[in-house]
PDB file of all heavy atoms in Angstrom:
ATOM      1  N   THR A 143      71.599 108.746  38.191  1.00  0.00           N
ATOM      2  CA  THR A 143      70.810 109.292  37.090  1.00  0.00           C
ATOM      3  C   THR A 143      69.695 110.192  37.580  1.00  0.00           C
ATOM      4  O   THR A 143      69.456 111.274  37.012  1.00  0.00           O
ATOM      5  CB  THR A 143      70.230 108.143  36.250  1.00  0.00           C
ATOM      6  OG1 THR A 143      71.293 107.328  35.760  1.00  0.00           O
ATOM      7  CG2 THR A 143      69.434 108.677  35.077  1.00  0.00           C
ATOM      8  N   PHE A 144      68.998 109.777  38.634  1.00  0.00           N
ATOM      9  CA  PHE A 144      67.858 110.573  39.092  1.00  0.00           C
ATOM     10  C   PHE A 144      68.306 111.936  39.616  1.00  0.00           C
ATOM     11  O   PHE A 144      67.608 112.939  39.439  1.00  0.00           O
ATOM     12  CB  PHE A 144      67.068 109.820  40.167  1.00  0.00           C
ATOM     13  CG  PHE A 144      67.743 109.740  41.503  1.00  0.00           C
ATOM     14  CD1 PHE A 144      67.526 110.723  42.465  1.00  0.00           C
ATOM     15  CD2 PHE A 144      68.596 108.695  41.809  1.00  0.00           C
ATOM     16  CE1 PHE A 144      68.142 110.649  43.707  1.00  0.00           C
ATOM     17  CE2 PHE A 144      69.218 108.614  43.039  1.00  0.00           C
ATOM     18  CZ  PHE A 144      68.991 109.599  43.993  1.00  0.00           C
ATOM     19  N   LEU A 145      69.493 112.000  40.225  1.00  0.00           N
ATOM     20  CA  LEU A 145      69.988 113.271  40.740  1.00  0.00           C
ATOM     21  C   LEU A 145      70.390 114.205  39.596  1.00  0.00           C
ATOM     22  O   LEU A 145      70.144 115.417  39.655  1.00  0.00           O
ATOM     23  CB  LEU A 145      71.170 113.032  41.672  1.00  0.00           C
ATOM     24  CG  LEU A 145      71.738 114.272  42.381  1.00  0.00           C
ATOM     25  CD1 LEU A 145      70.648 114.994  43.170  1.00  0.00           C
ATOM     26  CD2 LEU A 145      72.887 113.874  43.304  1.00  0.00           C
ATOM     27  N   ILE A 146      70.986 113.642  38.551  1.00  0.00           N
ATOM     28  CA  ILE A 146      71.321 114.449  37.372  1.00  0.00           C
ATOM     29  C   ILE A 146      70.054 115.026  36.756  1.00  0.00           C
ATOM     30  O   ILE A 146      70.008 116.211  36.382  1.00  0.00           O
ATOM     31  CB  ILE A 146      72.083 113.595  36.344  1.00  0.00           C
ATOM     32  CG1 ILE A 146      73.445 113.187  36.900  1.00  0.00           C
ATOM     33  CG2 ILE A 146      72.260 114.352  35.033  1.00  0.00           C
ATOM     34  CD1 ILE A 146      74.208 112.250  36.001  1.00  0.00           C
ATOM     35  N   GLY A 147      69.012 114.209  36.665  1.00  0.00           N
ATOM     36  CA  GLY A 147      67.753 114.694  36.115  1.00  0.00           C
ATOM     37  C   GLY A 147      67.151 115.811  36.947  1.00  0.00           C
ATOM     38  O   GLY A 147      66.664 116.820  36.412  1.00  0.00           O
ATOM     39  N   ILE A 148      67.175 115.668  38.260  1.00  0.00           N
ATOM     40  CA  ILE A 148      66.626 116.706  39.136  1.00  0.00           C
ATOM     41  C   ILE A 148      67.429 117.997  39.013  1.00  0.00           C
ATOM     42  O   ILE A 148      66.854 119.106  38.980  1.00  0.00           O
ATOM     43  CB  ILE A 148      66.604 116.202  40.594  1.00  0.00           C
ATOM     44  CG1 ILE A 148      65.604 115.049  40.729  1.00  0.00           C
ATOM     45  CG2 ILE A 148      66.239 117.332  41.552  1.00  0.00           C
ATOM     46  CD1 ILE A 148      65.625 114.379  42.087  1.00  0.00           C
ATOM     47  N   LEU A 149      68.752 117.891  38.928  1.00  0.00           N
ATOM     48  CA  LEU A 149      69.587 119.086  38.774  1.00  0.00           C
ATOM     49  C   LEU A 149      69.294 119.794  37.456  1.00  0.00           C
ATOM     50  O   LEU A 149      69.213 121.029  37.403  1.00  0.00           O
ATOM     51  CB  LEU A 149      71.059 118.699  38.855  1.00  0.00           C
ATOM     52  CG  LEU A 149      71.581 118.262  40.221  1.00  0.00           C
ATOM     53  CD1 LEU A 149      73.030 117.788  40.120  1.00  0.00           C
ATOM     54  CD2 LEU A 149      71.471 119.392  41.238  1.00  0.00           C
ATOM     55  N   LEU A 150      69.141 119.026  36.379  1.00  0.00           N
ATOM     56  CA  LEU A 150      68.827 119.635  35.083  1.00  0.00           C
ATOM     57  C   LEU A 150      67.458 120.303  35.107  1.00  0.00           C
ATOM     58  O   LEU A 150      67.275 121.388  34.528  1.00  0.00           O
ATOM     59  CB  LEU A 150      68.874 118.572  33.985  1.00  0.00           C
ATOM     60  CG  LEU A 150      70.255 118.005  33.650  1.00  0.00           C
ATOM     61  CD1 LEU A 150      70.142 116.925  32.584  1.00  0.00           C
ATOM     62  CD2 LEU A 150      71.195 119.106  33.181  1.00  0.00           C
ATOM     63  N   ILE A 151      66.499 119.681  35.769  1.00  0.00           N
ATOM     64  CA  ILE A 151      65.177 120.291  35.883  1.00  0.00           C
ATOM     65  C   ILE A 151      65.251 121.602  36.660  1.00  0.00           C
ATOM     66  O   ILE A 151      64.647 122.616  36.275  1.00  0.00           O
ATOM     67  CB  ILE A 151      64.196 119.310  36.562  1.00  0.00           C
ATOM     68  CG1 ILE A 151      63.875 118.145  35.632  1.00  0.00           C
ATOM     69  CG2 ILE A 151      62.898 120.026  36.957  1.00  0.00           C
ATOM     70  CD1 ILE A 151      63.036 117.068  36.261  1.00  0.00           C
ATOM     71  N   TYR A 152      66.013 121.582  37.734  1.00  0.00           N
ATOM     72  CA  TYR A 152      66.125 122.791  38.555  1.00  0.00           C
ATOM     73  C   TYR A 152      66.772 123.939  37.778  1.00  0.00           C
ATOM     74  O   TYR A 152      66.314 125.091  37.851  1.00  0.00           O
ATOM     75  CB  TYR A 152      66.939 122.498  39.815  1.00  0.00           C
ATOM     76  CG  TYR A 152      67.179 123.717  40.673  1.00  0.00           C
ATOM     77  CD1 TYR A 152      66.160 124.248  41.460  1.00  0.00           C
ATOM     78  CD2 TYR A 152      68.429 124.341  40.682  1.00  0.00           C
ATOM     79  CE1 TYR A 152      66.381 125.383  42.240  1.00  0.00           C
ATOM     80  CE2 TYR A 152      68.649 125.463  41.454  1.00  0.00           C
ATOM     81  CZ  TYR A 152      67.624 125.986  42.235  1.00  0.00           C
ATOM     82  OH  TYR A 152      67.852 127.108  42.990  1.00  0.00           O
ATOM     83  N   VAL A 153      67.820 123.639  37.020  1.00  0.00           N
ATOM     84  CA  VAL A 153      68.551 124.695  36.317  1.00  0.00           C
ATOM     85  C   VAL A 153      67.780 125.188  35.091  1.00  0.00           C
ATOM     86  O   VAL A 153      67.531 126.387  34.927  1.00  0.00           O
ATOM     87  CB  VAL A 153      69.953 124.202  35.909  1.00  0.00           C
ATOM     88  CG1 VAL A 153      70.657 125.250  35.043  1.00  0.00           C
ATOM     89  CG2 VAL A 153      70.784 123.892  37.140  1.00  0.00           C
TER      90      VAL A 153
END
Side-chain angles (χ1 to χ4, degrees):
T143 302
F144 73 90
L145 184 56
I146 294 175
I148 293 173
L149 290 175
L150 291 178
I151 290 174
Y152 176 75
V153 174

